[in-house]
Amino acid sequence: MRTFSYVRAPDVETALRAVADEPNAKFLGGGTNLVDLMRENVERPDVVVDISRLPLTGVEELPGGGVRIGALVRNSALAAHPLIRTRYPVLSQAILCGASAQLRNMATVGGNLLQRTRCLYFYDGASACNKREPASGCAAIGGFTRNHGVLGVSEHCIATHPSDLCVALAALDAEVEVESTRGTRRIPLTGFHRLPGSTPHVESALEPDELVTAIELPAPITERSRYRKVRDRASYAFALVSVAAALETGGGTVTAARLALGGVAPKPWRAVEAERVLLGAPATEESFRAAADAELAAATAQDGNTFKIELARRTIVATLRDLTSDGSAT
Amino acid sequence: MRVNGADEPLDIQPQVSLLDALREHLGLTGTKKGCDQGACGACTVLADGERINSCLALAVQYEGREITTIEGIDHPLQGAFVRHDGFQCGYCTSGQICSAVGMLAEHKDGMPSAVTEHAPAGELSPAEIRERMSGNLCRCGAYNGIVEAIQEVAR
Ligand SMILES: Cc1cc2nc3c(=O)[nH]c(=O)nc-3n(C[C@H](O)[C@H](O)[C@H](O)COP(=O)(O)OP(=O)(O)OC[C@H]3O[C@@H](n4cnc5c(N)ncnc54)[C@H](O)[C@@H]3O)c2cc1C
Ligand code: SF4
Ligand code: FES
Ligand code: FES
């Protein structure tokens, strides 16, 4: 690991000032991704600003039924929070499906949003990687692609965003609050992460001097929501495909649907095409399949990840079936 | 640093991990380094009673926090691991024990898991223990003994 200087920020203002005039600074949340990448020399900050003691650890109910989540809330604390477990079960489930208990105790919400891809070539300094080294090429294309994306990818990068938590946030219409010495702004989660296009090293709408301070969720469309994750082993593995869904039905018809996919795209993938097909359709397996087909029509695969398209289709159908199968869909 | 109830003065660079600080600077070699990337759990210690991976923690970040390593643990789990053959080579064992101590506390506090989701926290079934302990790998495959040992203590 390269040497760096360490600043511990007791308050938000100190944190923002510490990065304002320092182009090569990084915030340190739980450190579970940053420390790993620094050890691999993928991240090489000159200054590390420790934000883990900032007082942004609240989970508060908002007037109107939404919730505000501080950026430094630990993943484990968020998953266990009664408000999240009862009103946004998909979020609690997504977090509990991710990483391990030790990592969830360390990881923060802000850090989970900004964690970087698990593409092995990105980690390996000897491989060409446009994300790590712009314009150097992409060793994954034509290489080992089991973990790579099938939606929203480009000829310059096919890496996926590895988060589970963010997939639930995408389905829940979350907004990200960010702050810098220049002021505060809000970014919808679905616009927070960027598609790779020809600049895969640009991963989010966040400026280098901006701190994520909170996530806000509007009141849920329904408390019937669910996360399903398919992976190579039963626990402690990243998603091959995951689905976050919330479904409201009335008289046998879908009256509201929220759907997002993980493991298949460079960002948490809000499945707008599928939602369009579902809305007003009978809550049946045929509709669920048609919705999945609509979303996956644009999918493109490599040799190693063709299976993900069919797996995503089946996982979407299964998740929606879960949400209607206990008799409460009328 | 506060380690196992004592103040330990340390003069180290910020890039030193908590794991290396414990092993290389304080001579507490009970905590093991398996992968050094958060993927095996051998380095598990408790910070203010919560289990964490010390390989992904910068020591400086944990200044003033109460760190507990296997050297500071005296728990019925230790005897139970011996009785149930919860190890072979023993390399993962200190991490398993620290993790299990943290896990039992989490379970008592009502922490849900991917297995229970909404069920009230009842007795720890083998499936629960396997899920809650999935952050600790054992290359010797002593999992059956590990699960039995934990289940006995959890009762
Ligand atoms: C073995 C292993 C398995 C894993 N499995 C999964 C999994 O299955 N599912 C899953 O979702 N995740 C998984 N993870 C990833 C883990 O969830 C992330 O590493 C974690 O959420 C990152 O949070 P952190 O607080 O530790 O971030 P850090 O490592 O502290 O930071 C990550 C990045 O975010 C930036 N950052 C942090 N906080 C802020 C903020 N408030 N504002 C602006 N920038 C910020 C940092 O500068 C850094 O660039 C796994 C990790 C490991 C090591
Ligand atoms: S897929 Fe993206 S991250 Fe992976 S090697 Fe190619 S450019 Fe790099
Ligand atoms: S050494 Fe820390 S998790 Fe493997
Ligand atoms: S006892 Fe050998 S690794 Fe677990």
Side-chain angles (χ1 to χ4, degrees):
Chain A
M1 200 183 296
R2 272 169 89 241
T3 56
F4 56 87
S5 57
Y6 171 87
V7 179
R8 184 182 297 149
D11 50 51
V12 170
E13 202 192 317
T14 312
L16 297 180
R17 259 191 287 109
V19 298
D21 317 306
E22 177 49 68
N24 193 22
K26 278 279 177 188
F27 292 121
L28 178 71
T32 60
N33 192 225
L34 184 61
V35 172
D36 193 22
L37 289 171
M38 284 168 65
R39 192 170 285 139
E40 300 295 331
N41 282 316
V42 175
E43 297 276 17
R44 294 185 292 265
D46 291 322
V47 179
V48 168
V49 180
D50 182 355
I51 56 170
S52 63
R53 300 189 191 200
L54 294 184
L56 303 173
T57 54
V59 178
E60 294 144 33
E61 196 164 2
L62 295 171
V67 62
R68 180 179 170 88
I69 303 161
L72 273 298
V73 175
R74 306 290 146 160
N75 288 0
S76 48
L78 189 60
H81 199 283
L83 207 56
I84 303 301
R85 287 176 71 186
T86 52
R87 314 217 34 214
Y88 308 93
V90 63
L91 179 55
S92 182
Q93 290 168 16
I95 296 169
L96 293 172
C97 284
S100 67
Q102 288 96 315
L103 290 161
R104 296 191 294 268
N105 280 342
M106 302 171 80
T108 64
V109 171
N112 193 299
L113 238 63
L114 287 148
Q115 66 172 300
R116 306 195 68 188
T117 186
R118 307 303 289 203
C119 170
L120 290 175
Y121 303 101
F122 171 70
Y123 267 76
D124 171 27
S127 295
C129 171
N130 288 324
K131 190 184 272 305
R132 180 167 29 76
E133 201 69 61
S136 66
C138 170
I141 295 174
F144 184 76
T145 54
R146 182 169 176 79
N147 295 315
H148 289 77
V150 295
L151 287 167
V153 295
S154 77
E155 57 183 317
H156 302 281
C157 180
I158 56 169
T160 57
H161 191 268
S163 170
D164 292 297
L165 188 155
C166 290
V167 180
L169 293 182
L172 293 168
D173 293 309
E175 280 201 333
V176 186
E177 186 184 273
V178 308
E179 198 174 327
S180 70
T181 52
R182 294 167 289 123
T184 301
R185 63 186 181 118
R186 294 162 70 93
I187 309 167
L189 186 103
T190 48
F192 187 80
H193 299 95
R194 292 272 162 87
L195 291 179
S198 57
T199 54
H201 59 289
V202 183
E203 294 173 353
S204 78
L206 196 74
E207 299 291 338
D209 66 338
E210 284 179 317
L211 175 75
V212 173
T213 48
I215 306 287
E216 287 196 4
L217 301 178
I221 58 155
T222 167
E223 290 176 3
R224 300 180 54 75
S225 63
R226 182 168 166 83
Y227 193 72
R228 247 197 198 243
K229 177 172 176 177
V230 184
R231 41 189 158 169
D232 278 330
R233 57 183 184 199
S235 186
Y236 202 13
F238 288 95
L240 290 170
V241 167
S242 69
V243 174
L247 196 70
E248 188 73 333
T249 55
T253 298
V254 176
T255 52
R258 300 283 186 275
L259 202 67
L261 310 179
V264 293
K267 59 187 266 184
W269 191 263
R270 178 70 179 261
V272 285
E273 295 302 325
E275 289 177 9
R276 224 191 306 276
V277 172
L278 285 171
L279 191 63
T284 60
E285 191 130 343
E286 289 78 73
S287 308
F288 301 160
R289 210 168 300 121
D293 286 344
E295 192 60 47
L296 293 162
T300 54
Q302 309 287 319
D303 284 348
N305 65 358
T306 316
F307 74 96
K308 280 194 177 183
I309 300 175
E310 181 59 24
L311 187 60
R313 184 175 288 123
R314 293 182 190 187
T315 312
I316 292 171
V317 172
T319 312
L320 295 172
R321 201 198 297 129
D322 289 342
L323 287 169
T324 49
S325 63
D326 65 353
S328 56
T330 47
Chain B
M1 302 211 53
R2 288 281 300 168
V3 182
N4 298 330
D7 282 319
E8 301 281 1
L10 261 183
D11 186 10
I12 51 172
Q13 295 288 309
Q15 70 268 23
V16 176
S17 69
L18 177 57
L19 175 59
D20 287 343
L22 293 168
R23 288 181 55 85
E24 313 295 333
H25 296 265
L26 297 176
L28 294 169
T29 53
T31 307
K32 302 301 184 209
K33 184 184 285 189
C35 63
D36 218 15
Q37 49 188 18
C40 76
C43 66
T44 304
V45 299
L46 303 169
D48 299 324
E50 284 188 357
R51 49 184 171 158
I52 62 165
N53 297 119
S54 61
C55 69
L56 293 185
L58 296 179
V60 65
Q61 192 177 10
Y62 286 78
E63 187 183 348
R65 307 272 305 271
E66 191 72 51
I67 305 300
T68 308
T69 68
I70 190 66
E71 288 88 347
I73 286 181
D74 180 8
H75 195 282
L77 277 165
Q78 286 153 309
F81 266 64
V82 174
R83 278 194 302 284
H84 290 275
D85 282 337
F87 52 86
Q88 286 182 35
C89 77
Y91 200 80
C92 70
T93 312
S94 39
Q96 299 279 2
I97 303 239
C98 287
S99 183
V101 170
M103 185 274 279
L104 292 174
E106 287 166 11
H107 181 248
K108 216 167 139 199
D109 276 0
M111 171 68 73
S113 84
V115 169
T116 28
E117 287 174 5
H118 289 268
E123 196 191 324
L124 280 168
S125 66
E128 265 303 334
I129 294 173
R130 284 176 194 276
E131 166 59 27
R132 288 173 189 260
M133 291 295 295
S134 71
N136 292 82
L137 305 190
C138 174
R139 287 300 301 269
C140 298
Y143 294 110
N144 291 342
I146 293 170
V147 171
E148 283 170 19
I150 295 173
Q151 208 178 10
E152 178 189 298
V153 174
R155 275 200 197 105

